[in-house]
Amino acid sequence: MDTVRKDIRGLNPDVLDVIEKRAKQDGVTSNDLLRELITNYARQIEEDSAAKILHTYLDDLIMANNNVVHGLNDNTIAIGEMFKTILARLEMYFPDLNDEVERIQKNARPQEKNLPKSIDFDDFE
C-alpha cells in the first residue's frame, strides 16, 4: 500500500482525541480508522456525482412515460367516442342490437355490477 502524507491544519486536538478513543474502542489504529473514513467519504462523493447524472435521465424517462400515459388515455377516450357513434348508427339498421350490446358491456365490466346506480349523500351523516 502506498504511503500518503497530508498535513491537516486547523484541526482541534480534541477531535484527534475522539478519533483515538474510537479507534481503541473498535480495536484498530487511528490511522486505519481515518483511512476508512476518508475512503468512505470519497466513495460517497463519487456516488453523489453519479446519482445527479442518473436523476437527470430518470426525470426524462418519467416525463416520457407520463406523455405515453396521457396519449393512451386520449386514445382510449377517442376510441370510446368512435364506438358510441358506430353503435348509434348500427342501431338505426339493427334495432335489436342494442340489447346485445348492453349484455356485452355488462359482461365486459363485471367489477361495475356491484356499484350502486346513485349515491345518497344523506347516508353519510
Side-chain angles (χ1 to χ4, degrees):
M1 182 181 318
D2 293 337
T3 299
V4 177
R5 292 196 177 272
K6 181 73 177 171
D7 291 332
I8 302 174
R9 293 178 292 281
L11 185 63
N12 188 337
D14 294 337
V15 173
L16 280 179
D17 288 340
V18 171
I19 297 292
E20 292 286 341
K21 287 178 185 174
R22 181 58 183 243
K24 280 184 185 178
Q25 182 182 347
D26 291 349
V28 295
T29 66
S30 59
N31 186 63
D32 290 339
L33 181 58
L34 287 170
R35 183 176 54 244
E36 184 178 338
L37 290 172
I38 292 169
T39 302
N40 287 342
Y41 185 66
R43 188 177 307 122
Q44 181 181 349
I45 290 171
E46 290 173 343
E47 288 173 358
D48 288 346
S49 297
K52 286 179 185 176
I53 294 169
L54 289 176
H55 279 261
T56 303
Y57 290 126
L58 286 175
D59 289 342
D60 290 345
L61 183 61
I62 289 169
M63 191 169 22
N65 188 49
N66 287 341
N67 289 339
V68 169
V69 169
H70 289 298
L72 288 173
N73 289 342
D74 292 344
N75 286 342
T76 301
I77 291 169
I79 290 170
E81 292 299 319
M82 181 181 64
F83 278 125
K84 285 181 188 176
T85 303
I86 290 170
L87 289 175
R89 288 186 183 176
L90 283 175
E91 185 178 332
M92 201 168 45
Y93 298 106
F94 305 103
D96 60 338
L97 185 63
N98 194 31
D99 294 335
E100 186 67 17
V101 169
E102 285 181 17
R103 184 190 65 76
I104 291 170
Q105 286 178 337
K106 285 179 184 175
N107 290 335
R109 292 184 254 142
Q111 72 273 13
E112 294 181 6
K113 288 181 182 176
N114 299 329
L115 295 177
K117 294 292 182 190
S118 65
I119 297 174
D120 187 6
F121 290 101
D122 294 332
D123 292 341
F124 296 100
E125 294 182 86

